[in-house]
Amino acid sequence: MRYTFFQALLGGILATALAQGTAQAAEPIPVESLARLPALQSVSMSPDGKHLVGLIPSPKNADVTALATWDTDSLSSGPKMVTPSGHMEFIAAFALKADKVLAVARQEWTGDLGGCGEGKSMGATETFVVKNYLTSIDQKEFGEAFANDKRQVGVSKATERCLELAGTSSLVDMLPLDPDRVIISQLSQITWTSNYYLYNLKTKERELLFKGGNRASPSLFDSRTGKVLAKSQIEPIGGGYEQQVLLLNAKTGQFDLQPALTTKLSDRYSVTVNGIDDATGKYYVLTDQFSDKMQVRMYDPVAKKYDPEAVVADKNFSIGGLLFSTRVSNFNQIVGFVVDGPHRQVVYVEPALKGIQDSIKQAFPGQQVGISSYNDDLSRVLFTTESASDPVAYHLLLDKKQVANLGSSRSWIGKDLTIDESWVTYQARDGRQIPAILDLPVGWKQGDAPAPAIVMPHGGPWARDYEGWDVSGWIPMLTSRGYAVLRPQYRGTEGLGRELWLAGDKEWGLKMSDDLDDGAAWLVSQHIAAKNRMAIFGYSYGGFAAVAASVRSPSPFQCAIAGAPVANLGRLGTSWSDNRLQRILQGQTVKGMDPMKNADKAHLPIMLFDGTRDVRTPPAIHAHPFYEAVKDKVPAQFHWIADMPHSMPWYPRQQRETLNLILNYLAKDCGQVSQ
């Protein structure tokens, strides 16, 4: 396949290179280049391939987003319509069918939560309201998405406020073959459980598919009709709980319990019904019941047993899911699967899509290529490219022969930035192999003098890191300034095998932190880092790890930086999540060394920061009390970040403030790390 490349300027808004902030090799990337809003983000394509939807900086204020739509037949004409954010700021957008657009927006909210939403048990009073809005491609009118205009009798004002904070409706499934209808979930004003409906985007009519309960929820819908094929429920059994899976019996119309798919919550096996094979009636199940890594197995609902061998498996990494065709000619057939390796690698097995992916990879060597969506005849294929050095960029394949480069999310960052990123493993003190992502200083090569280094544990801790562009900006900011960065996938990390995941139970501040110290020692042994020039920096759980490091001895670090940390395990307990399943699963594992109870052992300089609208790890409970406890023992700083929530997206002003805080602290207050 031969490609002709052309740059669609999209009305001049998405120029390929801007003079401001261009990064040269070994030249620090300016903070502003990482803090400002992306030039283009959250891009999606309508199923018919006629329209693109995305977010751009507002023409009125570059620090505020705007919703934009384009016609794919006239990209060079620029956006067909641009709507700047108003009192609600756009944070995501999705192109739907029937010429509709789903926009996600948020607004600051201050007041008594009254037992509603995340942070309610912590006494938080500052948060964000997040709402979904529906509009048409012309963006003439916006209305709350999937809203039920009928007010329930007897619903109090307090309940209405709860619904306002928690949100009431969300999109569940697009039903690719249906021209007008989608599946939505809606929170009942009476029962506070989610019901599921077929929803007509044109007429707003709805049809009940599944009435939710406290314990049951649908887990698989028929992608043609919307009928519920599988559901899961939590049931108390013998002092514990079971996660039961029930499948629809086509003959009786009833749901049959599947013992082979049912597991004890305490065992923490993963069982996800991923799809159904039309030819055999068997189900595709994503599970780690048979191996350390997630596999896909076929399950026979009649015989009530798995097939003996996995359908899709990888020796080294988990399978992240299956991809099913949305095209009429081969609808619901498997076209690919995802390998959760160093980055999420999609492997296509369907010839047409595999050929397109292979050709794109040849055209963009060294880039991670992700096909986002395509229309029925593959005349329009939206895809992204990225790498550790290259911010996410959006492209549109036209008629299988031309690529329109829609624009980079941060086009002002120069192509001469080269970050050497690799997947490594090192041995912990007890012999366990710990995977990690290593980012070397820009321009550094083996044999050069050891560099200053940052050990950066991820949040979660039930999460993991991936290779590629770091949207937080921390990795490119640090590596372009001469720091090596190691991101250990410490025990307790989820997604890299069941054994590694379970090994973190009740090891907060103990073996989980040992893994970080051992990563620092490995950097020294490899002559990458200087022994007396290392710091630890983390956010959320990573912030906990940084706080814990400040009271653990001996320590390989010269200082600690903790963003939005947990610092008081006693206040976390089993009430740390509003999700019942997560409380049962994860809450009981949150045990170990409590930094607050060990504040008298503080010995490292530490900087803490958190947002005033963080309702997940409220600074008034965690970061600030810890600062007060250690400020007279060690050099300590605490910074309130106005209006910042726990999770991204953050305002550009918040990014500017936090990025500069990190750099200034490393340069001035962290011993010899930056010298």
Side-chain angles (χ1 to χ4, degrees):
M1 185 184 300
R2 181 178 178 182
Y3 287 95
T4 301
F5 292 90
F6 68 94
Q7 178 67 36
L9 296 180
L10 303 186
I13 294 176
L14 307 178
T16 55
L18 303 180
Q20 181 180 359
T22 300
Q24 304 297 323
E27 180 179 325
I29 300 176
V31 164
E32 182 61 20
S33 294
L34 299 167
R36 61 193 290 193
L37 281 179
L40 183 63
Q41 61 178 315
S42 192
V43 178
S44 61
M45 183 176 69
S46 60
D48 58 13
K50 293 181 179 180
H51 310 290
L52 295 176
V53 173
L55 299 182
I56 61 174
S58 170
K60 298 180 180 180
N61 181 351
D63 278 358
V64 176
T65 56
L67 178 66
T69 55
W70 296 264
D71 287 342
T72 58
D73 288 333
S74 55
L75 289 172
S76 59
S77 299
K80 183 178 180 181
M81 184 60 60
V82 176
T83 301
S85 294
H87 65 283
M88 298 284 288
E89 182 183 17
F90 297 122
I91 57 174
F94 305 93
L96 306 181
K97 54 193 171 186
D99 289 338
K100 298 294 183 182
V101 174
L102 181 67
V104 183
R106 70 176 181 184
Q107 180 182 12
E108 295 169 11
W109 191 92
T110 302
D112 182 7
L113 296 186
C116 308
E118 187 176 13
K120 64 187 180 184
S121 62
M122 301 288 192
T125 58
E126 295 180 80
T127 184
F128 281 86
V129 173
V130 178
K131 286 186 175 294
N132 296 322
Y133 290 92
L134 268 181
T135 186
S136 298
I137 288 295
D138 59 17
Q139 302 184 43
K140 288 184 178 180
E141 294 183 1
F142 287 78
E144 189 171 346
F146 322 125
N148 188 347
D149 297 330
K150 296 180 181 179
R151 187 180 184 279
Q152 295 288 337
V153 177
V155 175
S156 67
K157 289 188 177 297
T159 299
E160 288 182 343
R161 179 178 58 186
C162 283
L163 293 168
E164 180 84 3
L165 290 170
T168 58
S169 302
S170 61
L171 180 67
V172 176
D173 195 292
M174 281 281 282
L175 294 181
L177 297 184
D178 192 308
D180 303 323
R181 296 187 301 176
V182 295
I183 299 175
I184 66 166
S185 68
Q186 186 164 67
L187 194 63
S188 168
Q189 298 178 17
I190 304 298
T191 65
W192 278 88
T193 57
S194 291
N195 298 327
Y196 294 79
Y197 300 88
L198 280 175
Y199 181 86
N200 192 302
L201 292 168
K202 291 182 176 178
T203 67
K204 300 183 180 180
E205 294 176 344
R206 64 186 63 216
E207 175 187 334
L208 182 66
L209 290 172
F210 186 90
K211 191 173 182 61
N214 290 327
R215 295 174 178 169
S217 61
S219 53
L220 182 69
F221 295 92
D222 186 315
S223 53
R224 290 182 173 84
T225 66
K227 180 188 298 184
V228 177
L229 298 177
K231 68 176 183 177
S232 62
Q233 60 191 32
I234 300 173
E235 291 292 338
I237 302 291
Y241 291 88
E242 278 187 347
Q243 177 83 44
Q244 299 179 345
V245 176
L246 298 90
L247 300 178
L248 181 66
N249 187 316
K251 293 182 178 179
T252 66
Q254 302 298 311
F255 284 93
D256 295 339
L257 179 66
Q258 306 296 322
L261 304 182
T262 295
T263 59
K264 293 181 179 179
L265 285 185
S266 58
D267 289 340
R268 299 227 306 273
Y269 286 108
S270 297
V271 179
T272 302
V273 182
N274 210 211
I276 188 169
D277 179 55
D278 292 335
T280 65
K282 293 182 179 181
Y283 287 85
Y284 297 102
V285 179
L286 188 63
T287 185
D288 57 2
Q289 291 172 286
F290 303 92
S291 63
D292 182 56
K293 309 296 190 296
M294 298 284 283
Q295 303 175 333
V296 177
R297 291 194 171 231
M298 298 291 288
Y299 180 81
D300 188 335
V302 177
K304 293 189 176 182
K305 65 178 183 179
Y306 284 103
D307 283 2
E309 299 295 331
V311 177
V312 184
D314 186 87
K315 179 182 178 181
N316 299 313
F317 297 102
S318 287
I319 301 301
L322 296 174
L323 303 179
F324 295 89
S325 175
T326 59
R327 301 169 66 198
V328 174
S329 60
N330 60 351
F331 186 79
N332 201 43
Q333 294 181 21
I334 293 177
V335 295
F337 57 91
V338 178
V339 178
D340 258 339
H343 66 273
R344 289 180 64 84
Q345 179 187 1
V346 175
V347 179
Y348 283 102
V349 296
E350 193 268 341
L353 287 171
K354 184 179 185 303
I356 289 173
Q357 184 191 49
D358 290 346
S359 296
I360 294 173
K361 285 183 175 181
Q362 290 178 10
F364 293 89
Q367 299 279 308
Q368 298 175 19
V369 172
I371 294 177
S372 304
S373 59
Y374 49 85
N375 63 350
D376 195 68
D377 64 359
L378 300 180
S379 62
R380 298 288 186 271
V381 178
L382 179 68
F383 67 95
T384 60
T385 57
E386 68 171 292
S387 73
S389 308
D390 301 288
V392 176
Y394 299 91
H395 316 266
L396 187 64
L397 176 62
L398 301 167
D399 301 319
K400 303 180 184 179
K401 57 186 177 183
Q402 287 187 318
V403 171
N405 296 314
L406 305 174
S408 167
S409 56
R410 298 191 177 275
S411 51
W412 45 83
I413 292 179
K415 291 294 184 183
D416 45 7
L417 172 69
T418 303
I419 297 176
D420 186 345
E421 184 171 83
S422 59
W423 187 264
V424 300
T425 57
Y426 62 88
Q427 185 169 296
R429 64 192 67 182
D430 62 358
R432 180 178 296 277
Q433 294 297 308
I434 304 298
I437 297 175
L438 173 64
D439 293 273
L440 295 174
V442 172
W444 190 93
K445 59 185 183 299
Q446 196 68 42
D448 288 350
I454 310 295
V455 173
M456 188 182 294
H458 60 73
W462 288 6
R464 59 156 295 185
D465 290 310
Y466 289 94
E467 292 182 344
W469 179 255
D470 174 30
V471 294
S472 72
W474 298 330
I475 301 300
M477 177 183 75
L478 293 167
T479 54
S480 71
R481 284 167 172 78
Y483 294 94
V485 181
L486 184 72
R487 288 177 279 174
Q489 308 306 291
Y490 49 82
R491 67 194 74 199
T493 293
E494 187 177 19
L496 292 169
R498 176 178 164 78
E499 184 181 353
L500 182 68
W501 180 37
L502 297 179
D505 287 5
K506 303 179 182 180
E507 293 290 347
W508 286 52
L510 301 174
K511 291 182 180 179
M512 294 168 77
S513 289
D514 289 346
D515 292 344
L516 309 180
D517 293 357
D518 295 343
W522 178 82
L523 286 173
V524 174
S525 72
Q526 300 300 303
H527 308 291
I528 295 169
K531 186 176 182 179
N532 61 345
R533 300 181 68 192
M534 285 191 286
I536 182 170
F537 162 47
Y539 191 89
S540 193
Y541 172 83
F544 165 85
V547 168
S550 73
V551 301
R552 281 168 49 96
S553 293
S555 174
F557 306 113
Q558 276 61 61
C559 74
I561 301 175
V566 170
N568 189 330
L569 288 189
R571 291 294 301 269
L572 214 58
T574 58
S575 63
W576 75 312
S577 172
D578 288 332
N579 181 285
R580 177 170 172 268
L581 180 59
Q582 191 175 24
R583 288 198 303 271
I584 297 170
L585 283 175
Q586 194 171 7
Q588 63 184 359
T589 72
V590 183
K591 292 180 173 62
M593 190 275 291
D594 190 333
M596 186 59 73
K597 292 181 179 179
N598 289 274
D600 61 317
K601 299 181 179 67
H603 63 95
L604 287 185
I606 186 169
M607 181 183 76
L608 305 102
F609 66 89
D610 203 350
T612 61
R613 295 185 184 275
D614 182 353
V615 296
R616 186 161 301 165
T617 57
I621 291 175
H622 294 285
H624 192 259
F626 185 81
Y627 160 74
E628 291 289 341
V630 303
K631 67 179 183 180
D632 295 327
K633 299 178 180 65
V634 296
Q637 300 178 21
F638 176 77
H639 300 273
W640 296 94
I641 311 301
D643 297 321
M644 191 170 86
H646 188 82
S647 302
M648 298 183 78
W650 297 317
Y651 297 145
R653 62 178 168 83
Q654 295 160 347
Q655 280 284 71
R656 295 182 188 107
E657 183 175 0
T658 55
L659 294 178
N660 278 310
L661 281 173
I662 294 165
L663 288 179
N664 290 337
Y665 187 75
L666 289 172
K668 300 175 182 178
D669 300 294
C670 191
Q672 301 177 9
V673 168
S674 65
Q675 298 176 8

